[in-house]
Amino acid sequence: MIQSAIANANKLSRAQQRIAGYLVRHESDIPYLTEHDIARETGVSVATVSRFWSAIGFDNLKDVKRRQQSQGAARPADKMKDKLSRMSESPLPMQMIDMEIRNLEETKRLLSAESFDAAAEALLRAKRVFVFGTGPSRALTELLLFRLNRFGFAMVPIPTGSNDMFEQLTHMTSDDALVTFGFYGFPPDVRTVMNAGSEAGAKLILFTDMVVSELHAMASAVLFAYRGEPGEFHSMAAPVAVIDSLTVALARKDAQAMERLERLYELRRKHAARVEG
């Protein structure tokens, strides 16, 4: 219910987008939340939370809870809270695995199958695939470059934080696709690259953990990957899972991709002894 209300809302401010994202990820907790709770978790004022409800079509938080209950959408949060409390008694590896499972389950719930298919089609039709990510996301760009390069895609990594970035952007055309990794906070370079891609007419594919953002409207496909709350340790397990899923989808759709992998295997087998020697 809350997700559809947010989707139908007019343009939200950045503070409202933080609230919206938090509520979508914690929809089952809404019956137990106060405006003070939401303000504390999202880093905005209580007054901002109070004004938020009318922006998405509700009178107030009480109205949200009432409608949620009438639709039977409210699910007890006590089970999840109990699970989290028991995690602290487990060995650290088990706690981390539980956290990854939670992240993957949240990704499964919010990842759009329609956007996923659109991303796969855009990549298949693209003449070249430009890829950009900053900070820890650079590991994701390397993984995607490795996976798709093996399939024969013309991959173009975009350097970060230098004039080389702008030089690469000038080569982008409407025949290309641009994959960007823009997670919580959206670094300025991500916005710059997406703006350049939009101006060039390229198909934009955005990996993100932001449920609501003004950059969504620029993208041909938005691939949601939950990494944890803003104040938590941010894991890359869910983004990697989405990349792996995209790789398999492309292999299914593109017969030539499998042929290239077969040629790679044969090439390795033929020259294995020479390389090892």
Side-chain angles (χ1 to χ4, degrees):
M1 180 195 74
I2 196 74
Q3 188 169 3
S4 61
I6 290 168
N8 293 327
N10 292 325
K11 186 175 181 180
L12 300 176
S13 68
R14 291 191 182 182
Q16 290 174 330
Q17 289 172 17
R18 289 204 298 272
I19 298 170
Y22 177 81
L23 292 175
V24 170
R25 294 192 299 269
H26 297 85
E27 187 167 1
S28 63
D29 291 335
I30 290 177
Y32 310 95
L33 294 173
T34 67
E35 290 189 344
H36 284 84
D37 293 331
I38 298 168
R40 183 182 64 252
E41 294 297 325
T42 57
V44 303
S45 67
V46 175
T48 299
V49 176
S50 297
R51 290 191 296 268
F52 171 77
W53 310 116
S54 60
I56 62 170
F58 296 98
D59 295 333
N60 47 42
L61 176 56
K62 185 177 180 180
D63 184 31
V64 175
K65 293 180 178 181
R66 180 182 58 79
R67 292 201 218 177
Q68 191 183 55
Q69 187 174 16
S70 68
Q71 293 183 10
R75 301 186 300 272
D78 294 335
K79 291 183 180 180
M80 178 58 72
K81 292 177 179 177
D82 179 63
K83 177 182 177 182
L84 293 176
S85 67
R86 285 186 284 106
M87 276 178 57
S88 61
E89 302 171 3
S90 306
L92 180 59
M94 309 312 167
Q95 294 182 44
M96 295 298 293
I97 291 171
D98 280 343
M99 181 189 73
E100 301 294 12
I101 291 172
R102 181 199 65 179
N103 292 347
L104 290 167
E105 288 177 342
E106 195 66 9
T107 299
K108 180 181 178 181
R109 184 172 75 89
L110 294 174
L111 178 62
S112 165
E114 183 179 352
S115 283
F116 182 87
D117 289 340
E121 289 298 326
L123 291 172
L124 286 172
R125 296 173 185 272
K127 182 178 180 179
R128 295 171 300 179
V129 179
F130 288 75
V131 185
F132 182 75
T134 63
S137 295
R138 293 176 67 180
L140 300 174
T141 68
E142 290 296 327
L143 177 62
L144 186 63
L145 288 165
F146 174 77
R147 292 273 196 257
L148 299 194
N149 185 61
R150 298 181 100 190
F151 286 172
F153 284 79
M155 305 299 293
V156 183
I158 301 175
T160 59
S162 69
N163 289 331
D164 292 340
M165 179 180 78
F166 296 103
E167 290 184 15
Q168 285 286 25
L169 294 177
T170 62
H171 301 306
M172 206 180 311
T173 72
S174 58
D175 293 326
D176 301 321
L178 168 65
V179 180
T180 56
F181 294 89
F183 296 110
Y184 182 77
F186 285 127
D189 282 355
V190 171
R191 298 174 186 273
T192 299
V193 169
M194 288 191 67
N195 283 327
S198 180
E199 291 170 2
K203 293 289 186 181
L204 272 57
I205 300 168
L206 174 65
F207 279 75
T208 186
D209 55 359
M210 297 290 288
V211 178
V212 182
S213 169
E214 71 276 12
L215 295 186
H216 286 200
M218 296 173 58
S220 304
V222 176
L223 300 179
F224 182 84
Y226 184 68
R227 303 181 308 144
E229 292 302 304
E232 294 179 346
F233 172 80
H234 285 162
S235 164
M236 291 299 183
V240 168
V242 177
I243 289 174
D244 286 346
S245 299
L246 196 56
T247 303
V248 173
L250 292 172
R252 287 179 175 177
K253 292 174 178 287
D254 185 5
Q256 291 183 348
M258 298 307 298
E259 293 175 5
R260 293 186 184 101
L261 287 180
E262 286 294 333
R263 289 203 297 271
L264 174 62
Y265 171 76
E266 290 298 326
L267 189 64
R268 284 178 170 175
R269 186 180 62 81
K270 182 178 179 180
H271 297 283
R274 186 180 305 172
V275 172
E276 291 174 0

